[in-house]
Amino acid sequence: MARVLVDKGPVHLDKLWDYAVPAEMDAEARPGVRVRVRFGAGTGKVREGRREGGGLLDGYIIERVAESDYRGPLAALAQVVSPEPVLGPGLLALCRAVADRYAGSLADVLQLAMPKRNARAEGEPSPPPLPPPEPPAPGSWARYPAGPGFLEALARGDRPRAVWTALPGPHWPREWATAVAATLASGRGALVVVPDGRTAERVDAALAEVLGGPGRHVLLTADLGPEERYRRWLAVSRGSVRAVVGTRAAMFAPVRDLGLVGIWDDGDRSHSDERLPQPHARDVLLLRAVHEKTGFLLGDLGRTVEAAQLVENGWARPLEADREQVRAAAPLIRTVDEGEVARDAEARAARLPTLAWQTVREALTRGPVLVQVPRRGYVPKLACERCREPARCAHCSGPLEARDAEHLVCGWCGRDEPAWHCRECGGVRLRASIVGARRTAEELGRAFPAVPVRTSGRDHVLTSVPDRPALVVSTPGAEPVAEGGYAAALLLDGWALLGRPDLRAGEDALRHWLEAASLVRGHGEGGEGGDGRGGTVVIMAEPTQRPVQALVRWDPAGYAARELAERSQLGFPPISRMAAVTGPAEAVAELIASAGLPEGAETLGPVPLPPPPPGRPRRPGDPPRARSGSARCCGYAPARAAPSRRPSRRRRRAVWRGGRRTPRCGWIPWILADLGRPGLLLVWALAGSGPGPGLGIGRPRPPVWALAGPVWVLAGLGHGSGRWPAPVWVLAGLGHGLGVGRPRFGRWPASAVPGWSAHRWRGVSGAAGPPGAGACRPGGACPE
């Protein structure tokens, strides 16, 4: 018999299933191999004591047993896909621990841990393992007081655990390679996880230099392709290679005799997998360090709150340089207040205050200058120049952005907006709320016409730049490495990073600033190959902000410790564990009532979730979208579908010209105006649906406490979806009256004004409609 883990995601199937092993498969059906089994057959069809039928699913044999606890008929293994044992006991235990930690299923975790099989790579033999290297010299680790001792502990076979705050500069990849070499010298393996492929290539090059060439380590990234990646994964699983450096998926690499697990820049969001159960590489490596009894090294230029917690509770020790070394390695940091930028005449032309402009001009005589811009694109956020209202798409209400100097495009639906005007004030001029990297490069090119300008961002990421004068405009995380270091760096629009509505806004802003500033030549060293003068970093942000002060002092550890203390008082993560549940109100209430929460657990909510903005792609945690034609949707009653018959061209033209031919526009709204205390006033109005005001005449019906006589009413213009403008809300009557307009169609079909909805109507100032008075588009999804 064989106990099989079926590759099926639901939690209620997260258990082992017994299958009979045919005699012809007995030799190959070993624990850890891939198999295919029939699942969901039931007991209705049994032949020769074996179940038949059901769908074919992939799975893994976990163990072989003599007999099953199940007394009914069993299904037999359909196929042994490969005799290669890929799921060992250590990897299985790790995946089980990750599934329990994140409340997921074991099958979901295995889908993240196991690469896809490639028959050609599996048929190739792996080379024999090389003998352990000699222990390396400390090298640049000597700059840290505890650095040489940490390497000696790894070489002896001990299990040291440290949180390493790396010094700025180009030395940290080689320091990672030295720690891996010290672990290999003890006869054990090492695993290092980095956030992206560019960082992995830097560490890979340093490992090849320290270890003396290829053969002792492998690089595992998504860029390798499925065949080459599986070939390298098999070399690790078979024990041919004992050192691995890679991106997020490498955290499950089956390294034999693991002696060190390490992670670089654990605050990067790339370390968190987007697929269920969304494990974080830091937590997975912590589990490996505990279960496999290995050393642990968390390295970063800064320090996250989670890393500060490891130091505070004594699980890991800090590995830091003294203040003299920090001052020598770090560049000079200068701040510019946003108020000074607004008052500076020089900043109007190129967004650079006088201090920044002088710094760039002087640094360009000595080498390249880095300019970090928080947002990519040309102008990613626009607003009305007159009233500062954000510019929105007329189709889906998404934010408009300028991808170049000529075109406006919606950021959600991608439609062009050639004739935009403000819905609030009617203005037609726009201003840039946020300026992107490409627009910044364009402005800097005009300010420094003799200097080449290069950009690095999501569409095109530069790896390195030569050591000659140039302006390098980059978004956070895409900064290229300069040969010899940058002569200066500008950190623009600091408010954009600090102002995000996120618990980690300050921590992430400081991390991005430290990464950019670490590429600048050290203030005390002058940079490798430089002229002896260090670099300068100018940050444009409020100097009193705590992340800005931490950057000026180059004290990320102090900032993380204070942030951890404040979260401890409030009970925020990582002090507490939080889980969010999203779903229908009845299902959420039932789950809360039936869940066995531990003692002291606090339940917040449930609270209603606002509907996502129209046109925006659905994100995890969003409430479910209502189906078209439902009874109620986002507070709006659905509209009846328009007749299939379309009006003639003449009639459609008459509707469009309704402002000038009001009596022939085809519909008449009735308006009931409430005067408040005086009583009711019934006002009949004729309102055009085209580009012109409608004119109404009202006569009060007694009893009223106001003037008896005609009331003139002006109806505003509407901006409805579809080909023609829509009906409008009308401010009618005397005193405090609000009119409610409803179109009455005579011989003109309702399709003459298609898709009218209340949230698009704009009439006379002060006009508004009551909740539920609008309508969703006929035959489509709710726009809200």
Side-chain angles (χ1 to χ4, degrees):
M1 315 301 292
R3 288 181 175 168
V4 178
L5 175 66
V6 179
D7 192 2
K8 194 76 172 178
V11 177
H12 65 278
L13 300 179
D14 189 18
K15 58 182 180 179
L16 303 182
W17 304 86
D18 292 347
Y19 284 85
V21 180
E24 62 272 14
M25 301 182 187
D26 185 68
E28 294 182 344
R30 297 179 296 167
V33 302
R34 304 176 192 258
V35 294
R36 302 202 77 190
V37 296
R38 297 280 180 181
F39 194 83
T43 58
K45 188 176 182 181
V46 180
R47 181 180 180 183
E48 297 180 359
R50 295 287 181 257
R51 292 187 186 182
E52 293 185 351
L56 279 173
L57 293 178
D58 295 329
Y60 302 90
I61 295 180
I62 303 303
E63 60 178 343
R64 295 287 300 270
V65 294
E67 61 181 46
S68 173
D69 297 334
Y70 179 70
R71 297 308 176 188
L74 297 176
L77 295 178
Q79 178 188 4
V80 176
V81 178
S82 170
E84 180 81 27
V86 292
L87 183 58
L91 182 56
L92 176 63
L94 172 64
C95 293
R96 181 75 270 174
V98 173
D100 294 341
R101 165 69 178 80
Y102 284 93
S105 66
L106 181 57
D108 286 339
V109 179
L110 282 176
Q111 289 180 356
L112 304 179
M114 305 296 296
K116 293 184 178 180
R117 177 177 177 265
N118 186 276
R120 179 162 50 186
E122 198 171 74
E124 300 175 0
S126 298
L130 298 177
E134 294 295 326
S140 58
W141 276 106
R143 300 182 298 170
Y144 307 89
F150 181 78
L151 296 180
E152 292 175 3
L154 290 175
R156 287 195 308 265
D158 294 343
R159 302 189 298 270
R161 300 189 294 261
V163 173
W164 167 38
T165 304
L167 289 170
H171 304 290
W172 61 264
R174 187 176 181 88
E175 290 164 354
W176 270 116
T178 305
V180 171
T183 307
L184 294 180
S186 66
R188 300 177 297 169
L191 170 63
V192 179
V193 179
V194 295
D196 52 63
R198 292 193 308 138
T199 307
E201 291 175 357
R202 295 182 63 184
V203 179
D204 175 63
L207 277 170
E209 182 180 354
V210 172
L211 297 177
R216 296 186 184 273
H217 78 283
V218 293
L219 174 66
L220 293 180
T221 61
D223 298 335
L224 296 174
E227 180 178 348
E228 180 60 26
R229 184 178 180 184
Y230 188 60
R231 181 181 293 109
R232 298 186 183 188
W233 189 91
L234 285 175
V236 176
S237 177
R238 294 168 179 172
S240 298
V241 179
R242 292 191 175 182
V244 177
V245 57
T247 50
R248 180 182 61 222
M251 59 186 173
F252 293 104
V255 182
R256 293 191 180 182
D257 300 325
L258 194 60
L260 173 68
V261 291
I263 182 171
W264 174 255
D265 193 7
D266 64 309
D268 195 298
R269 298 183 186 272
S270 300
H271 284 302
S272 182
D273 204 307
E274 297 179 355
R275 296 172 293 175
L276 292 177
Q278 300 178 346
H280 194 284
R282 177 187 57 244
D283 294 339
V284 174
L285 295 182
L286 285 171
L287 289 173
R288 297 197 72 167
V290 172
H291 287 266
E292 302 182 40
K293 298 179 174 57
T294 72
F296 179 82
L297 180 60
L298 190 155
D300 196 355
L301 293 167
R303 181 173 295 183
T304 60
V305 179
E306 288 78 8
Q309 186 184 30
L310 295 177
V311 174
E312 185 183 20
N313 60 25
W315 192 86
R317 300 187 61 181
L319 188 54
E320 305 169 335
D322 53 29
R323 295 304 302 174
E324 289 76 12
Q325 286 286 349
V326 172
R327 283 192 289 269
L332 176 65
I333 310 294
R334 304 187 67 177
T335 62
V336 177
D337 189 359
E338 296 290 344
E340 298 179 16
V341 177
R343 294 189 299 268
D344 195 338
E346 296 291 337
R348 296 192 181 99
R351 297 177 59 220
L352 294 181
T354 302
L355 174 61
W357 190 84
Q358 292 175 351
T359 301
V360 172
R361 185 181 60 177
E362 188 275 333
L364 285 175
T365 62
R366 300 183 287 117
V369 175
L370 175 65
V371 181
Q372 186 191 74
V373 184
R375 299 290 295 272
R376 62 182 179 87
Y378 193 75
V379 181
K381 191 173 182 180
L382 294 161
C384 176
E385 186 183 52
R386 183 188 301 172
C387 66
R388 301 300 192 262
E389 180 73 13
R392 296 285 180 179
C393 174
H395 176 73
C396 69
S397 298
L400 292 181
E401 61 183 39
R403 298 182 179 175
D404 52 40
E406 301 293 336
H407 300 90
L408 292 179
V409 181
C410 177
W412 289 350
C413 65
R415 298 195 179 193
D416 292 336
E417 190 73 15
W420 175 89
H421 65 276
C422 181
R423 300 180 182 179
E424 298 297 331
C425 67
V428 295
R429 296 181 63 86
L430 290 165
R431 67 183 299 270
S433 299
I434 297 177
V435 178
R438 288 197 293 115
R439 174 66 178 271
T440 302
E442 183 180 291
E443 294 174 349
L444 291 175
R446 290 195 296 263
F448 300 93
V451 180
V453 180
R454 307 186 65 181
T455 59
S456 179
R458 187 184 67 174
D459 299 332
H460 177 63
V461 179
L462 300 175
T463 303
S464 61
V465 294
D467 186 14
R468 56 174 178 263
L471 286 167
V472 181
V473 181
S474 171
T475 53
E479 299 90 352
V481 178
E483 300 174 2
Y486 288 99
L490 299 183
L491 309 178
L492 302 181
D493 300 337
W495 59 269
L497 292 176
L498 293 173
R500 294 187 304 111
D502 195 302
L503 181 63
R504 299 182 182 271
E507 179 183 310
D508 290 343
L510 178 59
R511 182 174 61 85
H512 290 313
W513 294 338
L514 289 172
E515 290 176 354
S518 67
L519 301 176
V520 182
R521 300 166 187 170
H523 184 59
E525 298 176 351
E528 296 182 1
D531 56 359
R533 290 186 294 173
T536 302
V537 176
V538 178
I539 177 171
M540 296 171 59
E542 176 59 43
T544 59
Q545 292 282 348
R546 192 185 306 166
V548 179
Q549 289 297 314
L551 175 65
V552 172
R553 298 191 307 269
W554 205 277
D555 185 23
Y559 174 83
R562 184 171 179 180
E563 188 77 9
L564 178 64
E566 292 186 354
R567 295 192 191 181
S568 301
Q569 297 176 359
L570 300 173
F572 285 173
I575 301 303
S576 62
R577 300 290 186 184
M578 302 184 71
V581 179
T582 305
E586 298 80 5
V588 172
E590 181 181 356
L591 176 63
I592 295 176
S594 60
L597 299 177
E599 184 179 356
E602 183 181 2
T603 302
L604 306 176
V607 295
L609 286 179
R616 192 199 72 184
R618 180 172 172 80
R619 299 174 182 171
D622 282 347
R625 298 185 187 273
R627 297 181 179 178
S628 176
S630 58
R632 287 190 65 80
C633 177
C634 309
Y636 290 96
R640 285 182 286 179
S644 59
R645 182 173 64 89
R646 298 186 63 191
S648 65
R649 181 180 303 177
R650 179 180 177 183
R651 292 182 177 181
R652 282 186 277 134
R653 186 181 300 115
V655 172
W656 178 254
R657 297 175 181 174
R660 290 179 293 171
R661 300 168 59 184
T662 301
R664 301 183 182 180
C665 67
W667 62 271
I668 301 176
W670 58 265
I671 301 169
L672 182 63
D674 185 3
L675 295 181
R677 291 177 296 177
L680 295 178
L681 174 67
L682 186 62
V683 181
W684 294 93
L686 299 177
S689 62
L695 196 59
I697 302 177
R699 187 172 66 182
R701 298 179 64 182
V704 295
W705 301 346
L707 295 177
V711 180
W712 294 92
V713 182
L714 288 180
L717 296 178
H719 304 285
S721 63
R723 187 170 179 178
W724 296 276
V728 295
W729 295 103
V730 183
L731 179 63
L734 301 174
H736 306 284
L738 282 180
V740 181
R742 176 182 176 187
R744 281 188 170 183
F745 297 98
R747 59 178 182 173
W748 300 95
S751 60
V753 191
W756 59 277
S757 57
H759 72 283
R760 296 184 181 277
W761 294 359
R762 293 292 184 269
V764 179
S765 177
C776 300
R777 291 193 189 93
C782 173
E784 292 297 329

